Amino acid sequence: MRMWIYILRRLILLVPVVIGVMTITFVLISALPTSTRLASQFGTAPQRTPWIYNPTEPCPGSANHQCTNPTYYHYLDKAGLNKPIPYQWGLYIVNSFSLNWGTVGNGSSAGYYFQAAQGQQVTTVLGWFLPYTLELAALSLAIILLIALPLGNLAAVNRNRPVDQSARILSFSGYALPGFLLSSLALMGAVIAFGSGTGFNGHPPWCPTGETTFYEFSYSWPAQHCYGLIGNSGYPDWLTAGYISHPTGFPTIDALYHGQTWLALDTVLRIIIPAIVIAFASIATLLRFVRNSMLEVMNLDFVRTARAEGIPEQTVIKRHAGRNSLNVTITVLGLTFAAFIGGFPIIEDVFHLSGVGLLLALSVQSTKGGIDFGLVFGATLLFTFIVVIANIIVDVLYAYLDPRVRLG
Amino acid sequence: MFFVIVAVYAISQPLPYYAMESYCGTNNSNPTVWETQNNTNDAPEGLPNGAYAYHILPVNGFTPSPTNGSFRIAGTAVIVFIHFSKAPTTIAPPSSLLSPAISGSYDVRFIETGLPPQTDWQVAVNYTSPNLCITGSQQVCTYPAGSAVPGPGCYQTPAGNPSDIAPTLNLAKFSTGPLPLGSLTLNPATSSGFFSIYHGLLRGSDWSLLISTAIVGGGAIVGLVVGAISGFYGGVVDEALMRLVDIFLSIPQILFVIVVIAVITEGNQQVIGLNPPDTHIFLLIMGFLVTWWPFYARVVRGQVLVVREQKYVEAARAAGAGRGRIIRRHIIPNSVYPVFIQMSLDVGTIPLLIGVLIYLGFSLFTSPYFPEWGAISANSVTQLQLFLDTCTQPATGCVIPWWQILFPGLVLFFFAISVNFLSDGLRDALDPRLRR
């Protein structure tokens, strides 16, 4: 019962934080030129007829009035941009909560590479891509917990021994090397390790016509020609345009749902390397904290008592001291979750995984048009929500593991 | 002390304007800038003091076009004429051009370049520092006449040196010449525009240290003040400030910086009256700063909560010291050392974050030649990606350009490692409990 009250309190405290984040994005959106704001909201930018300052002819090409495009004012009215700022702010908050985040334009790299997204609602498009990111995040979190906890404990137990030193080097390199460097090296390593001559590059069961190693280890799905669809020459019906999968949206689950076991295996295979690379940076941070907290706990009275009782050393480390490092892991994970999420655009860009991060990376590029502000702000809100919800989960877990928190 | 020395050193150095070539150089004004000027959508109907307007006047023999004329930006009108002629001659612009298009004072500048003309007169973006392009100083990165290869100010591979070839680590050569760290082709399609990794890394130390220390130092000052106030006063103040910290902590840093720079450069190229490269760097620093201070505020608050219960604070209060004095003389000096440690850890990560922004294809600096460690590293990795795209069969004889990755990566790595050691040393030196 106490637990539910605690969770409810945390959820109520969440509201001002979310509204604050929305206020910050609102301030930033307000700094945009009007035409850009309209474009991010409606997908098209109705232009006011350019008005050139010339004393002799105030309104070139027309009479001395009616310089502007009527639809411009129509959209201006529709977006509420001719209303006072507090009203606009309220409208923005309401729109954000009702998931009306604007429309994807067709003038950015995101619209260029994902044609099906053009003109769609931002929330719809984010909904297509979010499952890929969640699957990747789940896998990398599992890797983090599986590696950081035992390794941290091991380093603490073998203090200043070779295990500890190598854990320290691992921690340093995860901290000092940028994600784009690591991920590119990992992709290159995979290409070299599994490249031609290693027997891997032939004809795997899921792609009878074959795929090069580079494509086998990037992209979320196998190439079009792998599905064995004759005549249709494309993706199966449940995989629209190669990235919108049905019914759940999660690639592995959908492949299993449609009975494609090999394909499901392949979707996991494609995200193993990126998940390891993402996990690496978080492991670097976690290792230190786990090691330090273990060192502290190992000197406490109850550990000494347990030892004095004659409990085997392994049990003392696992049951008595090790439980404590789980607390620390969860706290540090919660604190660094924003940085963890911030690493996704890079990884998904390098490995061409069709997640929200890639969408964001493409929407800020100006190679195929301008910046898609609808997507940029949508992705920012989404990432912020994910971080906030993750923090709540961390708090609840922490309260569950440490009863003192709930009582305090 | 270290940061003071570094900051003083960095500020005392003349800032190299390597990024100027897109403004002084090749063919016309920066297209994005021009687009902004051309955007009259937001100009109020009554105009004269409006932000975006230009006045096209007929020039002798030329049809009016957006590429010649004058314009006015945010109250300060600057007119820049660029004269394109094959031979460097000084031709005064026609008097009709000089007739005041806009009432008020404005600045007129003339630039002669030797590039083949498209139209005779072109308007460049306004920049307020005089003579940057006219004098051929070593600091300026420009394109020489009729050449697509940038001049000596850009850190390109010197003429005569082998380019895009693996470096030969000949230790005997170290005393006589620069370290042969190899070079990097920026545009493999035309195989033009390669730059020397050695020179880039050398000149990048200025910028990287300046940007990192400015972000971390500014963030620490703000965080220290907010954290001290929040921890000392407690109650409603603490609650409000910590909610603010929560808000800023839940926005992912990289995203926030991207959004800030994208929004402001989209809206107005000349935000604060600085030169275009300066504007971007200023925005970069401010964007990072806004997301950086909450970490320090949290650290300081935790420390202050401990310090304010100490006996010496009580003694000071009993002796009649005011709140401001207690905060200044007792609270802050005793809760500052965790910030120093956190600062020295954070300095090493900022070039990595800048590299991430560059790698995402976000045009952070106005030039691909901008010497910043993270940017150089990101450029090298982009090259590696191109390599992976074009050479999928490395077993059959592709040479992997290892030096393009290795040396910038090493510089970043050693930078981060050394500030990490510095943080360990600071912890030992500053923590009063350890000092005893």
Side-chain angles (χ1 to χ4, degrees), chain A residues 257-268:
Chain A
Y257 178 85
H258 293 280
Q260 306 269 0
T261 322
W262 279 121
L263 208 55
L265 190 73
D266 188 35
T267 55
V268 176

Side-chain angles (χ1 to χ4, degrees), chain A residues 28 31 33-34 36 47-48 50-51 172 175-176 180-181 184 188 196 214 288 346 350 360-361 364-365 383-384, chain B residues 40-43 45 247 250 255 258-259 263 266 298 345 349 355-356 359-360 381 384 389 393 400 405 413 416 420:
Chain A
L28 288 170
T34 310
T36 318
Q47 289 293 321
R48 237 175 98 180
W51 191 81
F172 263 153
Y175 163 77
F180 57 86
L181 193 75
S184 301
M188 193 168 76
S196 62
F214 176 69
R288 294 172 162 204
I346 283 291
V350 171
L360 179 78
V364 298
Q365 281 173 12
F383 275 136
T384 312
Chain B
T40 54
N41 288 342
D42 290 340
E45 301 277 340
I247 290 168
S250 41
L255 296 192
I258 287 177
V259 169
V263 161
E266 178 89 6
R298 268 210 176 158
L345 275 176
T349 61
V356 166
Y359 183 79
L360 281 179
V381 175
L384 189 77
D389 280 340
Q393 304 288 324
I400 295 171
I405 297 286
F413 186 74
N420 215 315

